[in-house]
């Protein structure tokens, strides 16, 4: 795993930052409304699912040393969330297959809270969203990051693996991964320009493109995406903490941007 600095700047966006658990409780209603909007390819807010081990006919599960559990929100806030739990370098993903993504690509949106990010080993690499498909071997990771020992913290970054550009994570010091707070995250995979854009909260934008990414100096070509995985994976063993917990809600994939 190569530590690579992100090649783009940070800019201000008009997105809503869901800071604190109280805001997350208010987001459920808008998340449910998003499921009926034009252009939606997939939508899940977990409210219709029973509490306990996660299961749905609308999506699959990919786990190793990890679990997915549907839980109620904090008392008095209503609704349900997906609790993702992994041990060490395990993984636990909700997997959406057979997506009918239009030629121009798609947008994604979710709300999340990560209990704690890794502080060991050095350069520990984690992924929360992964997209694959035909036409390119690139495994595209619009949301992930690394623990960077030179700044002693985890940083968000776009990444990829498995394709000609190699294994890379383009983190930036301007995008610290903040634990224990609800945030809204959006991303876009633009197949027309081979560009990935990720928005975190209301003031961070990450981008990677065909000629400006963090890997081998060859073009970064997006696949025709038909599968998206959402959850958590960490790739190195001997982690601190020994396990990872995060909570996810209001997942939506759409041909149009939905916003927060």
């Amino acid at each position: 795993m190569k530590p690579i600095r992100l090649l783009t700047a940070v800019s201000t966006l008009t997105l809503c930052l869901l800071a604190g658990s109280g805001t997350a409780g208010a987001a459920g209603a808008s998340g449910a409304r998003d499921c009926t909007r034009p252009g939606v390819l997939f939508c899940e807010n977990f409210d219709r699912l029973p509490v306990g081990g996660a299961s749905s006919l609308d999506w699959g599960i990919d786990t190793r040393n990890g679990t997915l559990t549907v839980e109620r929100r904090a008392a008095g806030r209503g609704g349900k969330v997906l609790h993702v739990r992994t041990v060490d370098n395990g993984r636990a993903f909700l997997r959406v297959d057979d997506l009918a993504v239009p030629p121009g690509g798609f947008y994604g949106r979710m709300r999340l809270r990560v209990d704690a990010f890794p502080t060991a080993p050095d350069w520990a690499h984690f992924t929360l969203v992964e997209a694959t498909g035909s036409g390119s071997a690139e495994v595209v990771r619009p949301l992930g990051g690394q623990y960077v020992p030179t700044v002693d913290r985890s940083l968000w970054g776009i990444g990829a693996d498995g394709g000609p550009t190699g294994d890379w994570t383009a983190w930036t010091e301007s995008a610290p991964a903040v634990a224990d707070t609800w945030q809204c995250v959006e991303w876009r995979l633009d197949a027309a320009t081979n560009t990935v854009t990720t928005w975190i909260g209301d003031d961070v934008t990450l981008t990677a493109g065909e000629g400006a990414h963090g890997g081998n100096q060859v073009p970064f070509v997006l696949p025709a995406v038909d599968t998206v995985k959402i959850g958590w994976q960490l790739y190195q063993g001997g982690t601190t903490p020994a396990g990872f917990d995060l909570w996810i809600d209001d997942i939506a994939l759409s041909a149009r941007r939905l916003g927060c």
Side-chain angles (χ1 to χ4, degrees):
M1 184 65 56
K2 299 186 297 183
I4 304 292
R5 294 183 182 275
L6 188 68
L7 304 168
T8 58
V10 176
S11 64
T12 301
L13 297 177
T14 56
L15 301 177
C16 63
L17 175 64
L18 300 180
S21 58
T23 310
S30 62
R33 288 194 298 269
D34 286 340
C35 294
T36 61
R37 291 172 62 176
V40 171
L41 309 172
F42 172 81
C43 196
E44 180 62 86
N45 67 4
F46 307 103
D47 289 345
R48 64 188 175 82
L49 300 180
V51 171
S55 178
S56 173
L57 295 177
D58 296 331
W59 42 266
I61 291 173
D62 178 6
T63 62
R64 183 187 63 79
N65 293 335
T67 59
L68 300 175
T69 307
V70 176
E71 298 180 350
R72 296 194 182 280
R73 294 181 189 268
R77 304 197 190 282
K80 299 172 187 174
V81 295
L82 182 68
H83 180 187
V84 180
R85 167 71 177 171
T86 65
V87 176
D88 200 44
N89 61 339
R91 68 175 183 269
F93 285 112
L94 175 158
R95 177 179 173 126
V96 186
D97 291 302
D98 302 321
L99 280 170
V101 175
F106 73 101
Y107 292 86
R109 193 278 317 280
M110 67 176 175
R111 298 179 171 94
L112 63 90
R113 178 169 72 88
V114 181
D115 183 56
F117 289 94
T119 57
D122 290 353
W123 309 112
H125 173 213
F126 51 90
T127 295
L128 286 81
V129 180
E130 187 173 279
T132 55
S134 61
S136 171
E138 300 283 5
V139 178
V140 182
R141 295 162 175 163
L143 184 64
Q146 282 188 293
Y147 170 67
V148 180
T150 55
V151 296
D152 192 26
R153 69 184 311 166
S154 288
L155 303 172
W156 292 118
I158 294 170
D161 195 6
T165 58
D167 182 5
W168 52 274
T169 301
W171 49 264
T172 171
E173 292 185 42
S174 300
V178 180
D180 199 28
T181 186
W182 281 97
Q183 297 181 85
C184 182
V185 178
E186 294 184 275
W187 63 91
R188 184 188 184 191
L189 272 63
D190 185 343
T193 61
N194 291 309
T195 301
V196 180
T197 306
T198 301
W199 301 276
I200 302 169
D202 61 353
D203 61 355
V204 174
T205 304
L206 310 175
T207 63
E210 186 172 305
H213 51 78
N216 301 325
Q217 293 306 300
V218 296
F220 179 46
V221 178
L222 299 183
V225 174
D226 57 23
T227 300
V228 174
K229 299 198 299 184
I230 297 173
W232 177 273
Q233 182 167 5
L234 199 148
Y235 302 92
Q236 293 79 24
T239 61
T240 301
F244 298 90
D245 293 272
L246 62 151
W247 291 264
I248 295 174
D249 199 8
D250 296 331
I251 298 170
L253 307 175
S254 177
R256 304 178 184 180
R257 187 172 178 182
L258 297 173
C260 290

